[in-house]
Amino acid sequence: MKVVATMALLLTLASATGGAWAHAALQSASPAASAVLAKAPKEIRLSFNEAVEGPFSKIALSDAQHAAVALPAVQLDAKNPKVMTVAVPPLKPGTYQVQWSTMTRDGHKTKGQYSFQVK
């Protein structure tokens, strides 16, 4: 019985403090992960579940040979600080890797990557 009570207490404490361990999570991306596009995107748009800090937010793009594609600085959406975008230059057909990193307003850092393809 003691084991069951201890486990119940631990689960309750873990769920009560879960918010303190939260980090920004990518909610949507355009182009989407694994997307196959008929034409190259003009921008990369990433939406998170909480506001992100512009000076600490980056998006990098590389081609199938791991060569970096030059991008301007990331911009935060003026109406929605949960969204960051970057303009993309014309891309040739191929597979591209998006790498992103950001920091939330409470100082938590997060990063991720995904790929898409241009036909």
Side-chain angles (χ1 to χ4, degrees), residues 2-4 15 17 22 24 40 43 46 52 57 61 81 83 89 105:
K2 269 189 170 178
V3 172
V4 173
S15 64
T17 60
E43 75 173 3
L46 305 178
V52 297
S57 299
L61 185 64
V83 177
R105 291 190 173 163

Side-chain angles (χ1 to χ4, degrees), residues 10-22:
L10 289 174
L11 286 172
T12 301
L13 289 173
S15 64
T17 60
W21 295 332

Side-chain angles (χ1 to χ4, degrees), residues 93-107:
T95 300
Y96 293 88
Q97 181 83 26
V98 176
Q99 300 91 24
W100 58 266
S101 62
T102 192
M103 181 187 297
T104 55
R105 291 190 173 163
D106 63 3

Side-chain angles (χ1 to χ4, degrees), residues 44-113:
I44 295 171
R45 182 177 187 84
L46 305 178
S47 298
F48 295 87
N49 65 329
E50 57 185 278
V52 297
E53 290 290 335
F56 303 102
S57 299
K58 296 178 184 159
I59 298 175
L61 185 64
S62 56
D63 64 19
Q65 289 73 40
H66 308 288
V69 175
L71 299 176
V74 167
Q75 300 294 315
L76 289 188
D77 186 309
K79 296 179 183 176
N80 187 352
K82 297 179 182 181
V83 177
M84 63 180 180
T85 62
V86 68
V88 176
L91 300 175
K92 296 178 182 179
T95 300
Y96 293 88
Q97 181 83 26
V98 176
Q99 300 91 24
W100 58 266
S101 62
T102 192
M103 181 187 297
T104 55
R105 291 190 173 163
D106 63 3
H108 288 120
K109 295 179 183 176
T110 188
K111 63 182 177 177
Q113 62 183 17

